[in-house]
Amino acid sequence: MRILIVEDEPTLGQQLKSTLEGAGYAVDLSVDGEDGHYMGSTENYDAVILDLGLPEIDGLTVLDRWRKEGRKFPVLVLTARDSWSDKVAGLDAGADDYLAKPFQTEELIARLRALIRRASGNASSELTVGDVRLDTRSGRVTLDGQPVKLTAQEYKLLSYLMHHKGKVVSRTELIEHIYDQDFDRDSNTIEVFVTRIRKKLGQDVISTIRGLGYSLEEPVS
């Protein structure tokens, strides 16, 4: 899953970026409203963490512009402002959740996971396809109840497909959502990761839809 952080406090921004990357997310970081708005308008993200007190363009304006442009990714507003009026303004502008500073990193990650699950139509923190289970809280993947070790990129790819179970996902979409902006993106690596996942979880776990992409479907009983 690919996340955009728009936060002008350098130390906090880098800490959040490192923490989320450690949790398995691909993360881009912007430090002002103008650049953040551009990135959110031109790149595809699964969720955005947006500070309200930004230089150049304030966070509420950025959020309002995204929504008017039709950008539907979930947005977690992150700010030092803790008054009820600021919370209402953020939610009315199109925010999906609100977290005031200071905060516990664990709570932010939990809220982020919940936003991404809801946006893809998944209510539970545990995603399942047949005998494969992926726990978004722990990052644990099991097959028939037995743990399966995946690399970071294999996990990101499997997680994205499981969040979008039943849908055909193109290589381009996978590349856009499992790599951050600075990563050297190579579409050929997607096929390599798919092959590795099939070896670990079974050949039928990921279907190739020729000319379109990949799909995860519940097995026909």
Side-chain angles (χ1 to χ4, degrees):
M1 295 293 167
R2 190 175 174 201
I3 309 298
L4 172 63
I5 300 171
V6 190
E7 168 60 61
D8 66 316
E9 188 179 330
T11 301
L12 177 59
Q14 287 296 335
Q15 287 176 345
L16 288 176
K17 186 175 188 296
S18 297
T19 299
L20 291 174
E21 286 174 340
Y25 296 97
V27 185
D28 293 327
L29 175 62
S30 175
V31 296
D32 66 66
E34 185 174 356
D35 181 63
H37 170 255
Y38 175 79
M39 292 176 70
S41 298
T42 58
E43 298 284 341
N44 291 313
Y45 293 101
D46 296 290
V48 174
I49 298 171
L50 177 67
D51 185 27
L52 292 188
L54 296 170
E56 305 298 336
I57 307 173
D58 70 88
L60 286 177
T61 301
V62 170
L63 179 55
D64 184 61
R65 290 182 182 180
W66 280 337
R67 294 315 191 209
K68 288 179 178 177
E69 293 164 359
R71 307 299 280 176
K72 297 180 180 180
F73 42 63
V75 175
L76 172 62
V77 167
L78 185 66
T79 179
R81 307 173 187 177
D82 196 23
S83 71
W84 67 266
S85 58
D86 288 324
K87 294 179 181 179
V88 170
L91 294 170
D92 282 346
D96 298 272
D97 201 356
Y98 194 105
L99 192 59
K101 303 174 185 176
F103 56 87
Q104 294 295 321
T105 306
E106 291 81 1
E107 181 181 2
L108 181 141
I109 294 176
R111 288 176 179 268
L112 196 62
R113 284 197 302 259
L115 288 178
I116 292 172
R117 287 200 311 269
R118 290 199 295 268
S120 59
N122 295 287
S124 173
S125 61
E126 188 173 72
L127 309 178
T128 63
V129 176
D131 295 325
V132 178
R133 295 179 180 273
L134 185 151
D135 190 329
T136 61
R137 295 167 300 180
S138 64
R140 188 169 184 259
V141 176
T142 61
L143 175 64
D144 288 326
Q146 298 301 311
V148 177
K149 187 175 182 179
L150 300 178
T151 67
Q153 295 300 341
E154 290 166 2
Y155 177 85
K156 289 177 184 178
L157 191 151
L158 179 65
S159 175
Y160 190 82
L161 289 176
M162 292 189 75
H163 274 88
H164 298 85
K165 181 174 67 175
K167 301 177 182 178
V168 178
V169 180
S170 69
R171 283 191 182 190
T172 299
E173 183 176 345
L174 284 169
I175 290 169
E176 289 175 343
H177 287 269
I178 71 172
Y179 296 133
D180 61 42
Q181 191 178 46
D182 297 328
F183 198 91
D184 184 15
R185 303 174 181 181
D186 182 357
S187 64
N188 293 325
T189 61
I190 298 297
E191 182 62 37
V192 173
F193 295 146
V194 168
T195 300
R196 290 178 182 172
I197 292 171
R198 284 172 173 159
K199 287 180 179 178
K200 295 178 181 180
L201 298 177
Q203 292 299 315
D204 297 331
V205 67
I206 300 176
S207 300
T208 299
I209 313 300
R210 192 168 298 278
L212 297 176
Y214 303 97
S215 178
L216 281 181
E217 302 279 355
E218 286 289 353
V220 178
S221 55

